[in-house]
């Protein structure tokens, strides 16, 4: 039986708690646990198509891999926006927020020497956000609450 803050109760054979890194479900099942920093930071942004038209990016999902970093990008909103996520090792990051503002110059420095498409996407970020990548212990299959 699952009981929610609004008073609703539901009964099911299976409950999946997919409520993020600060999971209330995980806390209720296993007790408190602080997320652990993976050592990587992600910078994310939506780039308007007109800002990157000259890059000639095909309609496909792209994943660029390099030393200690990678960049994933793909079209969204019917081709009007490019979703871009750049991830790099950054062992001294302290903020847990996913809404911190990223600095384009810092991201470009982290991706120095990368392919012109990757650097062109980063340079076209209108307002990148940044956040550290965290992890928690996986839940056991079949875990139950008492």
């Amino acid at each position: 039986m699952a009981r929610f803050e609004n008073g609703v109760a539901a009964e099911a054979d299976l409950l999946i708690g997919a409520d993020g890194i600060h999971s209330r479900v995980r806390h209720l099942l296993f007790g408190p646990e602080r997320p652990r920093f993976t050592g990587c930071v992600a910078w994310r942004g939506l780039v308007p198509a007109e800002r990157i038209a000259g890059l000639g990016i095909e309609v496909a999902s792209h994943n660029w891999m390099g030393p200690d970093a990678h960049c994933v990008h793909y079209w969204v909103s019917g081709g009007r926006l490019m979703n871009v996520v750049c991830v790099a090792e950054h062992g001294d990051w302290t903020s847990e927020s996913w809404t911190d503002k990223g600095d384009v110059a810092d991201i470009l420095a982290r991706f120095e020497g990368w392919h012109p498409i990757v650097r062109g996407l980063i340079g076209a970020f209108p307002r990148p956000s940044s956040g550290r990548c965290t992890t928690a212990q996986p839940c056991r299959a079949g875990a139950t609450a008492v």
Side-chain angles (χ1 to χ4, degrees), residues 11-23:
E11 187 171 342
D13 293 331
L14 175 69
L15 173 66
I16 298 175
D19 54 341
I21 195 70
H22 298 287
S23 172

Side-chain angles (χ1 to χ4, degrees), residues 15-111:
L15 173 66
I16 298 175
D19 54 341
I21 195 70
H22 298 287
S23 172
R24 177 77 174 134
V25 173
R26 174 189 300 280
H27 176 81
L28 291 170
L29 289 174
F30 306 110
E33 177 187 14
R34 291 193 46 80
R36 291 179 308 283
F37 179 40
T38 64
C40 293
V41 170
W43 293 275
R44 302 175 296 143
L46 292 171
V47 179
E50 61 271 11
R51 293 183 77 155
I52 54 173
L55 295 177
I57 300 172
E58 64 184 281
V59 179
S61 179
H62 302 263
N63 188 2
W64 303 83
M65 304 295 289
D68 305 321
H70 68 275
C71 177
V72 176
H73 59 90
Y74 49 89
W75 293 103
V76 296
S77 296
R80 292 187 310 276
L81 298 168
M82 175 73 69
N83 185 52
V84 182
V85 181
C86 299
V87 178
E89 290 188 7
H90 197 321
D92 58 352
W93 195 267
T94 57
S95 175
E96 274 196 50
S97 174
W98 272 104
T99 58
D100 285 348
K101 299 295 179 232
D103 178 53
V104 171
D106 182 43
I107 306 167
L108 283 169
R110 296 261 175 202
F111 287 82

